Amino acid sequence: SITCLVMAFLAPYSQIGITATVVVTCCRIMQGISSMGEILGSELYISEICKDRRRYFMIALVIVCSNLGGNAALGISSLILSNNLNWRIVFFIGASVALVGLVARTAIRETPDFINAKLKLDNSFDIANVKKTKIKESAIFNKKIDKKIIISYFFMEAMSPIWFYIGYFYSATILKTKFLMPAEGIIFNNLLISFAVTINFIIICFLLKKMHPLRVMKIKMSICFPFLFFLPYLYQNVSTPQELLIINIIVKFLSFDGFATVPVVLSFFPVLKRFTYGAFIYSCSKAIMYVIMSFGIEIFSRNFGTYGILIILLPFSIGYAFSRNHLEKLERANGNYY
């Protein structure tokens, strides 16, 4: 909220020069750090208070609501640019939303899972007459996590930045360089794509009422994998912005990522370290993948054209497939796969 207000009141580049760029960049970095755990925290919270299959549907709704926030941001940006309104309005709205999130975050209680685990640990130390300060040295608190789970979660979360970058930024470059589309046109194009993403998520939400999320992603992968090899050809030979929009909508409907599979992965994390492990892996995967996509796509596209996207897309898609299969084996062993 503070960083939004700083950007809202910041003097323009014409007055303070490069300082404006530095301040905005620092504010964006701080926003990324402060908001990184919000979605994961919401998903984790719901996964611990909903014990049956409903949690997959409920957690999917978190992502739907998050995407609706993206719809709103793009919609407001498009409206402001097309009507020559003051762009600072966006940051005042952002500050208000952040304050609502602050109230929501401080109003909720810890989940029963966390409270019970902590209580059992405290009681065991009381019975043994050991100081509570020794809790962090206990085997329960320092329970190790399977490395395969860490790798699986990394690949699950790594896919969404890839699809996000291809659908919005890579395509925006094509619109800008090949079709000379102005900024407001590109933002409106991204708004239409984000609407398609929201519809896709809503459809998956209802599928999760009938199917295990890993099964849903298996179906999407089966359809998407053959399509991946044609994607560079389609990007290379697109002739109108409308064709590119259709291609991107298809990509968004077929893409596979960590959507709704988070509760499956987090259930294999130790309760007392669940948020710590989850948030750290989540943050690392996003940060690493956005760096790879930002610089990698530029380098590979320069040398291999549109087929350069496969150099990044294929290895991580294969890693995702192995991760999904590993989680399916664990779920089948526990009798949770339906």
Side-chain angles (χ1 to χ4, degrees):
S1 183
I2 292 171
T3 55
C4 281
L5 291 175
V6 169
M7 288 189 283
F9 288 109
L10 184 65
Y13 184 88
S14 59
Q15 292 182 16
I16 60 175
I18 195 67
T19 303
T21 306
V22 173
V23 172
V24 168
T25 303
C26 290
C27 285
R28 295 292 295 133
I29 291 171
M30 292 175 69
Q31 284 180 342
I33 294 171
S34 65
S35 64
M36 183 61 76
E38 291 303 304
I39 288 181
L40 179 70
S42 302
E43 292 173 329
L44 177 57
Y45 192 83
I46 292 174
S47 70
E48 291 187 356
I49 62 175
C50 295
K51 289 302 180 184
D52 53 21
R53 296 175 181 178
R54 289 179 303 163
R55 72 180 185 275
Y56 301 127
F57 173 79
M58 299 299 293
I59 289 174
L61 284 181
V62 172
I63 308 301
V64 170
C65 292
S66 173
N67 203 70
L68 287 174
N71 295 161
L74 284 167
I76 294 170
S77 300
S78 181
L79 183 66
I80 287 174
L81 282 175
S82 59
N83 291 279
N84 294 318
L85 300 175
N86 193 328
W87 56 267
R88 297 173 188 272
I89 296 172
V90 175
F91 293 100
F92 285 115
I93 295 172
S96 302
V97 172
L99 288 175
V100 172
L102 175 64
V103 173
R105 173 65 69 191
T106 54
I108 58 177
R109 299 179 179 179
E110 289 289 1
T111 64
D113 278 10
F114 184 86
I115 292 174
N116 290 338
K118 190 73 166 53
L119 189 61
K120 287 179 181 178
L121 194 59
D122 287 343
N123 290 339
S124 65
F125 273 74
D126 286 338
I127 294 170
N129 196 25
V130 177
K131 290 183 179 180
K132 300 256 181 95
T133 53
K134 297 281 187 179
I135 284 179
K136 291 190 176 181
E137 299 176 11
S138 70
I140 300 174
F141 192 85
N142 293 299
K143 183 180 178 182
K144 299 298 181 182
I145 183 174
D146 184 0
K147 291 181 180 178
K148 289 184 179 179
I149 296 295
I150 294 175
I151 295 171
S152 297
Y153 187 40
F154 179 89
F155 277 106
M156 288 285 176
E157 292 292 359
M159 291 306 300
S160 58
I162 295 176
W163 298 119
F164 183 85
Y165 198 94
I166 290 174
Y168 292 106
F169 294 100
Y170 183 72
S171 300
T173 303
I174 297 175
L175 290 172
K176 183 179 179 180
T177 56
K178 189 171 184 177
F179 301 112
L180 305 178
M181 184 176 285
E184 55 268 26
I186 293 174
I187 289 179
F188 183 73
N189 179 82
N190 286 348
L191 175 61
L192 296 178
I193 295 174
S194 71
F195 282 146
V197 173
T198 302
I199 294 171
N200 174 45
F201 285 164
I202 291 172
I203 292 172
I204 294 177
C205 275
F206 287 99
L207 287 177
L208 292 174
K209 287 189 171 184
K210 301 293 183 182
M211 287 187 284
H212 193 283
L214 292 176
R215 188 181 293 277
V216 174
M217 290 301 145
K218 184 176 184 179
I219 294 171
K220 295 194 76 175
M221 284 177 57
S222 301
I223 302 171
C224 187
F225 253 102
F227 178 75
L228 294 182
F229 296 94
F230 292 99
L231 189 58
Y233 174 82
L234 295 174
Y235 278 136
Q236 185 176 8
N237 294 279
V238 66
S239 57
T240 65
Q242 291 74 25
E243 285 183 9
L244 183 61
L245 177 62
I246 293 171
I247 292 170
N248 284 325
I249 289 174
I250 293 173
V251 167
K252 291 298 183 181
F253 270 91
L254 296 182
S255 61
F256 47 88
D257 51 30
F259 179 70
T261 59
V262 173
V264 179
V265 185
L266 293 180
S267 64
F268 295 104
F269 286 10
V271 175
L272 294 176
K273 290 283 189 176
R274 195 168 283 168
F275 182 78
T276 305
Y277 280 127
F280 182 76
I281 299 168
Y282 176 93
S283 302
C284 286
S285 67
K286 301 299 183 187
I288 291 170
M289 291 314 301
Y290 278 120
V291 170
I292 290 175
M293 293 305 295
S294 297
F295 294 96
I297 286 290
E298 172 67 22
I299 295 170
F300 294 136
S301 296
R302 192 185 306 144
N303 292 283
F304 303 101
T306 55
Y307 287 88
I309 62 176
L310 290 181
I311 297 176
I312 298 176
L313 189 54
L314 281 179
F316 282 95
S317 296
I318 293 170
Y320 179 95
F322 280 106
S323 300
R324 197 217 65 84
N325 290 340
H326 175 65
L327 291 171
E328 180 183 327
K329 290 178 182 177
L330 295 177
E331 285 290 273
R332 286 185 182 277
N334 293 336
N336 295 329
Y337 197 75
Y338 59 94

